[in-house]
Amino acid sequence: MADKAKDVQSKDAEEKKPETKEAPILIQMGIFAAVLFVSSLISPLFPKSFPVPTPVIGLIILYFLLTLHIVKVEWVDKFGTFMIGFIAFLFVPSGIQLTASLDILAGLNGVKLIIAIILATVILLVVVAYTTSFIFWIDKKVFHREIKASENVEDHK
Amino acid sequence: MTAAATNFTATQLMLIKFLGTPIFGICLSILVFLLGQWLFKIGKGFFLFQPLFVGMVLGIFVLWCIAQIFKVTPAFVFTSLYWPGGNILFWFLNPATIAFAIPLYKRNDIVKKYWFEIFISLIIGLIISLFLIFYVSKALGLNNPAIASLLPQAATTVIAMAISGAIGGTPAVTAMACILNAVLIYALANWLLKIFRLKEPIGAGLGLGTAGHTVGSAKALQLGSIQGAMAAIAVVIISIVVDLVVPTFAQLMGIMK
């Protein structure tokens, strides 16, 4: 699976190379750091009852910087792709965090809780995916909007 | 930590002296993940051998063993020995999360064209999911605080924990649910997409982002650029939707005290 992902990513990179020049990695890191810094200043402004964490604000800021062409995609692409490729590893500490709550998982209640979480995960994935398909189906039947998304995806495989 | 330092036993102080440096946590994380990757290769991609899942289980096992050998609590081993290093790696989830703006921007064509459908799908999808999660939890015999802890799990951990606390749940349980979501989706996504025949890229992407958070988005990005972009947008939007919908839902179902 990992190899397949690498193929996709390297293919993307090859396609983009002739047209654009990527920024040096330190500048890319600098952009990320600056966005994170600004987000960390904004995050505490939200009330405790409606928290918006720093990375979510950062994602929105970076998205708008890209959309408004203030930051060019090749200035952040390489470092961003690297970070995303790394995310499974970066999540290991979060997983190990469960050590601190092993007592919650103990006993019959813990087993029930884990079963409920597994089912909830499947429910969220399947229900959201089917709802989306249904909404798009209505879109097509009622509003006659063409969905060409699935065609595009073949280019990237 | 400093206030409690005086209460540490000699064994604990000795452990902190030798293993309490950040490098222990970092080394352990790398080691268990590499072992996971190796097992994944040997096991020819068997889903339980996903590096993240193996890394998590092995890491917990190692910390638990240390706790048993030195007769201290696993929570102590985690906070005082592992977390100084683990926290450093954990911090890098911040830049990794904002990096999802890039795949999202790359498929801006779809975002601009279908933003309304995406938004509506996430709202309706979440409401249906909440009902199902509620009744499944009831059927399993979970009590109200436990159900309240499970309802906000589609949001990002920080947001989910805040809502969980507000509607009478246990934030720690919610955090655990969020972590397990990500690990499960990373391990099972391919298999789940296959058995539920989720071929439509926008739907699959939104589902993976909702159920698996940023880790699910990384998985979605491996499947295709549309899936990745949709998962990234789902992570952001679903947090807001959860924030708006879950408290009302909890009140409606009488979970909230």
Side-chain angles (χ1 to χ4, degrees), chain B residues 49-62:
Chain B
F49 287 163
Q50 276 286 344
L52 172 58
F53 184 72
V54 174
M56 178 186 99
V57 173
L58 273 179
I60 293 174
F61 181 69
V62 169

Side-chain angles (χ1 to χ4, degrees), chain B residues 88-107:
Chain B
I88 293 176
L89 296 175
F90 180 72
W91 183 85
F92 281 95
L93 279 175
N94 288 324
T97 304
I98 73 169
F100 278 102
I102 299 162
L104 184 57
Y105 167 75
K106 282 182 181 166
R107 294 319 300 247

